């Protein structure tokens, strides 16, 4: 190879690495001011890359004359999108036949198309991330990109802690004071998956560096995670950490392997740390939220609405007409919650003001849980989708403890966080999808010189 060719390859490699780093930063940016112009889909700058994703797909199709690097996850996601499109059309037609063409200011057909774009963008994002990583080829370089991204997150978090409650407001969609760590998201409850996913992938990729660099990287990643653990104010994050530790204990009860014993001890230490330092604060915070705020009522109320919807429409109501059904079951949800909160917590009157606002506006209308939101969209088939994806991913990471823990944490988090713009979740799925599995056919996609083995 000539020096010119070598230099060209070096520049290409550097460009791809820089581009991946930018993608990683854009992935965590989930409070983009564009939301004020085009709605919730503009809360992430990833939407601006939609044309880039499409152009790359077209270029790959033109080059290979077929769709390449298609994985089992792509099949699940694409099939789910087709199903949602079909169900959405059916329920929109039902509403049209009844004379309902819109909900509030939103046309039902337009709403259905906009929400389906979320799903299509997720599929394109996963394929694009996998394409870029495969083009880079060297996972040592990819590790460097994640190291730079984690360092950026650490700097952002440090600036936030030093300048609360008005930290980096110019980067957010609103300028209201905020007293918790939220990185570049809208609220603290959405940051936990970001930290876990980035730290886990960084620690996993450190195996492609020498022993000293790997050790230092793992220490750095662990320190960052612990730092976040002690400064975050997210109750949901703490609860999911505890549940993840409990699942880890169940999985690694077999002491025949030394690694299992170490992981079990680590899980016990995490649970002790949680109970000793965080449980009282979380209980008090939860009680305070019940007495004075609306977030717990809103989250539980929207989940109840989703359950009532699927109970009456087992195959879901799609992405267009769901606001109509959301509003239809709102009163039943409030009545049921009033009864439950009185029996369990002794609260005779609950604050559902935020929930009631959904009856007159489509702003932020949706279930405050990614799993139950998609459950409302796709009904029982969405459960099958999550089961197939979860099983597929767990099979792929069964030989990696760090990725297993990250995946379990992420799967449990689906109950608490939305999914449409949580691209770090899809980043983890994209990365795991690059790992070879026994149930997938080997191809050049998985056989890069040093990586993906």
């Amino acid at each position: 190879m000539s020096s010119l060719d070598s230099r060209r390859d070096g520049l290409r490699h550097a460009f791809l690495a820089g581009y991946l780093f930018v993608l990683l930063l854009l992935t965590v940016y989930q409070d983009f001011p564009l939301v004020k112009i085009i709605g919730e889909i503009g809360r992430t700058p990833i939407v601006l890359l939609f044309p880039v994703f499409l152009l790359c797909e077209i270029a790959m199709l033109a080059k290979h004359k077929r769709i390449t690097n298609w994985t089992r996850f792509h099949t699940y996601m694409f099939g789910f999108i087709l199903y949602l499109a079909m169900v959405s059309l059916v329920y929109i037609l039902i509403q049209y036949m009844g004379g309902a063409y819109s909900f509030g200011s939103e046309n039902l057909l337009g709403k259905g198309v906009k929400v389906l774009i979320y799903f299509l963008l997720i599929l394109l994002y996963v394929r694009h991330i996998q394409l870029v990583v495969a083009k880079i080829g060297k996972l040592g370089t990819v590790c460097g990109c994640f190291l730079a991204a984690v360092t950026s997150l650490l700097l952002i978090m440090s600036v936030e802690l030093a300048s609360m409650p008005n930290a980096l407001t110019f980067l957010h969609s609103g300028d209201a004071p905020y007293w918790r760590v939220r990185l570049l998201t809208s609220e603290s409850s959405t940051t936990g998956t970001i930290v876990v996913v980035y730290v886990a992938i960084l620690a996993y990729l450190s195996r492609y560096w020498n022993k000293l660099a790997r050790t230092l990287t793992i220490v750095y990643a662990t320190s960052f995670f612990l730092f976040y653990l002690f400064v975050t104010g997210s109750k949901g994050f703490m609860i999911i950490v505890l549940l993840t530790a409990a699942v880890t204990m169940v999985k690694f009860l077999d002491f025949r392997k030394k690694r299992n014993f170490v992981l079990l001890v680590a899980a016990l230490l995490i649970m002790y740390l949680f109970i000793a330092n965080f449980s009282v604060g979380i209980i008090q915070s939860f009680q305070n939220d019940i007495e004075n705020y609306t977030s717990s009522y809103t989250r539980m109320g929207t989940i109840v609405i989703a359950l009532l919807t699927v109970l009456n429409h087992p195959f879901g109501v799609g992405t267009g007409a769901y606001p109509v059904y959301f509003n239809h079951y709102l009163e039943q949800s409030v009545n049921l919650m009033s009864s439950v909160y009185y029996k369990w917590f002794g609260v005779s009157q609950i604050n559902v003001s935020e929930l009631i606002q959904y009856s007159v506006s489509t702003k932020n209308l949706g279930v405050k849980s990614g799993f139950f939101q998609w459950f409302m969209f796709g009904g029982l088939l969405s459960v099958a989708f999550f089961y197939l994806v979860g099983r597929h991913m767990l099979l792929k990471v069964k030989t990696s403890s760090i990725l297993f823990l990250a995946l379990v944490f992420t799967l449990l988090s689906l109950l608490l966080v939305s999914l449409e713009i949580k691209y770090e979740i899809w980043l983890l799925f994209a990365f795991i999808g690059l790992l070879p599995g026994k149930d997938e056919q080997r191809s050049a996609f998985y056989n890069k010189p040093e990586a993906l083995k």
Side-chain angles (χ1 to χ4, degrees):
M1 180 184 294
S2 67
S3 59
L4 182 61
D5 291 337
S6 179
R7 183 179 301 177
R8 186 183 298 114
D9 287 345
L11 290 174
R12 174 179 172 275
H13 190 77
F15 169 78
L16 287 172
Y19 178 60
L20 177 59
F21 170 67
V22 172
L23 280 176
L24 295 179
L25 289 185
L26 295 181
T27 295
V28 303
Y29 196 179
Q30 296 163 14
D31 199 20
F32 195 44
L34 186 63
V35 64
K36 294 185 290 187
I37 300 175
I38 65 173
E40 284 301 306
I41 198 170
R43 196 172 288 279
T44 167
I46 294 295
V47 68
L48 298 177
L49 296 178
F50 189 72
V52 177
F53 297 166
L54 280 179
L55 286 174
C56 286
E57 291 291 334
I58 293 171
M60 293 295 290
L61 184 60
K63 180 180 179 181
H64 299 283
K65 310 302 180 186
R66 60 184 179 86
I67 298 177
T68 58
N69 305 327
W70 193 261
T71 68
R72 190 177 293 271
F73 173 76
H74 300 158
T75 300
Y76 293 150
M77 193 70 196
F78 185 69
F80 191 51
I81 293 172
L82 290 179
Y83 174 77
L84 288 180
M86 180 182 66
V87 172
S88 300
L89 184 59
V90 169
Y91 275 88
I92 289 171
L93 287 175
I94 291 174
Q95 292 300 315
Y96 278 9
M97 291 172 63
Y101 301 96
S102 62
F103 180 84
S105 60
E106 291 249 34
N107 177 274
L108 298 184
L109 181 59
K111 181 69 172 180
V113 172
K114 284 198 297 185
V115 176
L116 283 174
I117 290 175
Y118 283 111
F119 290 88
L120 181 59
L121 190 56
I122 288 169
L123 176 59
L124 292 176
Y125 171 83
V126 169
R127 284 182 54 78
H128 193 72
I129 287 290
Q130 292 177 332
L131 176 64
V132 173
V133 172
K135 289 292 184 182
I136 291 174
K138 298 180 178 180
L139 287 188
T141 301
V142 177
C143 183
C145 296
F146 273 90
L147 178 61
V150 168
T151 301
S152 299
L153 291 177
L154 176 60
L155 292 174
I156 292 170
M157 189 159 56
S158 299
V159 171
E160 281 189 323
L161 291 172
S163 53
M164 282 184 181
N166 299 302
L168 303 174
T169 53
F170 66 96
L171 292 175
H172 291 275
S173 61
D175 57 1
Y178 198 86
W179 292 94
R180 295 178 180 178
V181 172
R182 59 173 172 172
L183 299 177
L184 295 178
T185 71
S186 58
E187 56 180 292
S188 60
S189 62
T190 64
T191 59
T193 48
I194 293 174
V195 173
V196 169
V197 167
Y198 278 61
V199 164
I201 294 179
L202 173 61
Y204 176 83
L205 289 173
S206 65
R207 67 177 61 190
Y208 294 97
W209 286 352
N210 62 49
K211 186 176 181 179
L212 176 60
R214 180 183 184 184
T215 301
L216 292 175
T217 301
I218 291 177
V219 170
Y220 179 67
T222 303
S223 300
F224 174 68
F225 174 79
L226 292 175
F227 178 45
Y228 174 79
L229 180 66
F230 280 97
V231 300
T232 183
S234 172
K235 300 184 292 294
F237 174 77
M238 298 297 185
I239 293 171
I240 298 300
V241 167
L242 181 62
L243 291 176
T244 303
V247 172
T248 302
M249 289 179 61
V250 173
K251 177 177 174 57
F252 297 110
L253 283 177
D254 183 0
F255 298 143
R256 289 175 294 180
K257 295 182 179 179
K258 181 180 179 181
R259 182 188 65 179
N260 287 3
F261 179 76
V262 172
L263 287 171
L264 181 61
V265 171
L268 288 171
L269 287 174
I270 290 174
M271 294 185 70
Y272 171 78
L273 181 68
F274 175 88
I275 295 171
N277 295 279
F278 303 116
S279 57
V280 174
I282 289 177
I283 293 173
Q284 291 177 345
S285 179
F286 183 68
Q287 291 175 337
N288 181 57
D289 186 75
I290 289 177
E291 295 171 1
N292 302 302
Y293 298 103
T294 63
S295 61
S296 67
Y297 303 128
T298 301
R299 186 178 299 277
M300 288 303 302
T302 57
I303 290 175
V304 171
I305 289 172
L307 291 171
L308 289 172
T309 301
V310 177
L311 186 63
N312 290 276
H313 306 274
F315 298 104
V317 294
T319 61
Y322 84 89
V324 177
Y325 294 93
F326 192 100
N327 185 61
H328 179 75
Y329 296 109
L330 179 59
E331 184 177 352
Q332 291 183 45
S333 172
V334 172
N335 292 335
L336 182 60
M337 278 203 307
S338 297
S339 175
V340 169
Y341 272 84
Y342 178 74
K343 290 180 180 179
W344 288 7
F345 305 110
V347 178
S348 59
Q349 187 173 2
I350 63 176
N351 186 349
V352 292
S353 58
E354 183 181 5
L355 194 58
I356 295 298
Q357 289 178 3
Y358 290 146
S359 64
V360 295
S361 173
T362 57
K363 184 178 180 181
N364 295 326
L365 178 63
V367 184
K368 304 306 177 184
S369 162
F371 172 82
F372 285 102
Q373 176 71 64
W374 289 25
F375 183 54
M376 188 176 185
F377 288 154
L380 297 178
L381 194 81
S382 64
V383 178
F385 169 78
F386 283 115
Y387 170 76
L388 291 172
V389 170
R391 186 185 66 172
H392 173 62
M393 295 294 169
L394 286 169
L395 285 173
K396 277 181 165 288
V397 301
K398 64 181 181 179
T399 59
S400 172
S401 301
I402 184 65
L403 291 181
F404 172 82
L405 291 172
L407 181 59
V408 169
F409 178 92
T410 300
L411 292 175
L412 291 172
S413 296
L414 301 185
L415 299 173
L416 299 179
V417 300
S418 61
L419 292 177
E420 286 79 12
I421 64 169
K422 294 296 293 174
Y423 285 99
E424 77 278 0
I425 292 176
W426 308 113
L427 172 67
L428 178 64
F429 287 179
F431 183 79
I432 293 174
L434 285 169
L435 304 176
K438 294 180 179 179
D439 59 341
E440 289 181 315
Q441 195 173 26
R442 304 288 289 184
S443 69
F445 187 63
Y446 296 105
N447 290 326
K448 290 297 172 183
E450 99 177 35
L452 314 180
K453 59 185 178 181

